[in-house]
Each structure stands twice: as C-alpha cells, then as structure tokens.
Amino acid sequence: YGTVAPLHDAALDNEAQATAAAAELAAQRFRVAAVRTQEKKRNPLPPFITSTLQQESFRRLRFSGQKTMVLAQQLYDGIEVAAEGATGLITYMRTDSTRISPDALTEVRNYIGATYGPNYLPEEARQYRFRETSQDAHEGVRPTAVERTPISLKRHLDADQYRLYELIWQRFVASQMNPALVLTTTAEIEAGPYLLRASGSRVKFDGFARAYASPLIEEPGPEGAAKLPALAEG
C-alpha cells in the first residue's frame, strides 16, 4: 500500500495551513522524478520458547500468560485422539532453547516438500542460535508429530486448545521454510514547489508466510488506501 508525505520543510501547524497546502497541490501537475525498487528478504522466526509463546499467544489470541501455559500443559499432558487414546500433542512447554531434534527436522522437511513444494524448502535444515544463558535441557516448543495438522485434530480439541495448537504448529513448520521476498518501491514525485514521496510494497514470494502469517511481510496501509500503482520515471 502506498503512503505519501511531503519532503520539503513547509510548516503545517494547523488546519488552515494544511487546507492551503492541499489546495495548492491540487492545482499542480504531478511528475514522477525517480523510482527505486528494492528486494528485501524476510526470514522466518525460530520455534517458540516459553517466553515467545506467551508473547505471541497474547498478541494474536489475546490469551494471558497464565492461560497460555494452562492450555499448553493440557496439550503436553495428552488429549484423547480417537483410536490413539491420550496423546501428547506438543513437546515440553517450559524451555528456553530453540533446538529441534534431528528426527523432527527430517519429519518437518519431508512435510514441507510434500505439502508446499520444493520452492518452500531450504537446501539444508535451518539452525537457530541458542542464547548464551540457554539451559538447552529441552527442545523448542513444537508439535510431537507434524502430520497431526491442526485441522485433523480440530474435533478433538476445544476452541482455545485448537487455537494454541494451531499457533505452535504453524510457527514450527514456518521456522523450517524459505524466506519471503518483498519488493519495496519508493517514488519521488514533483508537484510545483513540492516534492512528495510515495512508498509501497508487495510480496514477490510468500515463503514461510504460506504457513504462518507474519507482520514481517504484512505492511497494510490505512483503511481505504489504494495500492501503489505501477510508476515509472517521467
């Protein structure tokens, strides 16, 4: 989405000045003076640890830290899943490590390749740095089996359990996917005595966001804003 701002030092301290500037701009002929497009890579985030799970659960689901941990404990202790009986659906949720076992990495990479295609699968498994203070006694928070997709478990979970499991599952799968590519375009526009700048972005390749929507590549404009049109110098 595009945003436009004046680059000159005109003082717009009140409504009268803003109205006068708008009227002056309306009388001008606009000309694109320069266009720059830059490709930016957005990498996925690591699997959850306790603190990031609580933070993201609050941001996305509005669950308190306590509620998140109660639900995570339920998913860890086990849920009745049809013929499987009581089944632990996530790894231990009290952890400060992003380490993932080799077997789980193999499983998720096979799933990504089969489900999303080779363009979404890195050549090698992603490794995330541990914090120096990390105990590394447990893995990061992940599903115990990536094949247990959220939708396949929905009828076995209550609404809040489902939403938290979906968050954990999506974050884990996305953590082993290729980066997203975002094209950012900036145009400088001459309008009489004014120089304006319009900027916008669009997703060239969704990458990890195919599994886990992320604010790293979401750059919505204000409600009702038009998308930046194709622009060329002159």
Side-chain angles (χ1 to χ4, degrees), residues 69-82 84-93 144 148 153 156-158 161 165:
M69 297 310 288
V70 168
L71 292 169
Q73 184 76 53
Q74 294 167 358
L75 296 173
Y76 171 74
D77 287 342
I79 301 292
E80 291 290 331
V81 180
E84 294 183 63
T87 304
L89 299 181
I90 65 170
T91 54
Y92 193 54
M93 63 286 169
T144 51
R148 294 192 192 101
L153 295 176
H156 304 292
L157 304 174
D158 68 30
Q161 289 171 340
Y165 181 76

Side-chain angles (χ1 to χ4, degrees), residues 15-230:
E15 182 180 1
Q17 292 175 350
T19 301
E24 187 177 9
L25 276 168
Q28 304 300 326
R29 179 176 179 272
F30 289 72
R31 176 184 175 276
V32 178
V35 179
R36 296 186 301 276
T37 299
Q38 183 179 8
E39 182 178 283
K40 295 183 179 181
K41 183 184 293 186
R42 298 285 190 259
N43 289 310
L45 295 169
F48 286 127
I49 60 175
T50 303
S51 59
T52 56
L53 174 61
Q54 291 174 313
Q55 292 162 10
E56 193 73 345
S57 176
F58 179 76
R59 189 180 75 83
R60 293 193 179 221
L61 309 178
R62 311 312 293 177
F63 291 169
S64 68
Q66 181 180 6
K67 180 174 181 176
T68 295
M69 297 310 288
V70 168
L71 292 169
Q73 184 76 53
Q74 294 167 358
L75 296 173
Y76 171 74
D77 287 342
I79 301 292
E80 291 290 331
V81 180
E84 294 183 63
T87 304
L89 299 181
I90 65 170
T91 54
Y92 193 54
M93 63 286 169
R94 297 191 182 275
T95 178
D96 61 357
S97 172
T98 56
R99 177 178 60 83
I100 299 297
S101 73
D103 287 347
L105 287 176
T106 298
E107 183 184 29
V108 72
R109 285 176 55 78
N110 288 341
Y111 180 88
I112 291 167
T115 304
Y116 302 111
N119 289 342
Y120 291 85
L121 184 67
E123 291 186 7
E124 298 180 355
R126 288 184 168 276
Q127 303 294 335
Y128 293 94
R129 292 182 180 179
F130 305 159
R131 296 183 301 177
E132 292 183 5
T133 57
S134 173
Q135 300 289 321
D136 199 35
H138 302 282
E139 294 184 59
V141 184
R142 63 168 176 84
T144 51
V146 75
E147 293 292 341
R148 294 192 192 101
T149 61
I151 195 65
S152 73
L153 295 176
K154 191 168 187 178
R155 64 191 178 96
H156 304 292
L157 304 174
D158 68 30
D160 289 343
Q161 289 171 340
Y162 174 79
R163 293 173 72 197
L164 187 65
Y165 181 76
E166 182 182 49
L167 188 70
I168 293 168
W169 186 94
Q170 290 178 345
R171 173 77 164 237
F172 172 61
V173 172
S175 72
Q176 288 300 320
M177 294 175 71
N178 271 327
L181 300 178
V182 179
L183 292 179
T184 300
T185 299
T186 302
E188 292 187 355
I189 301 166
E190 296 173 344
Y194 291 89
L195 180 63
L196 307 174
R197 176 173 291 157
S199 60
S201 62
R202 67 178 179 86
V203 178
K204 180 180 180 182
F205 175 64
D206 55 359
F208 72 91
R210 177 81 178 271
Y212 185 71
S214 171
L216 294 174
I217 68 167
E218 295 168 356
E219 299 184 22
E223 186 176 352
K227 289 186 177 181
L228 195 66

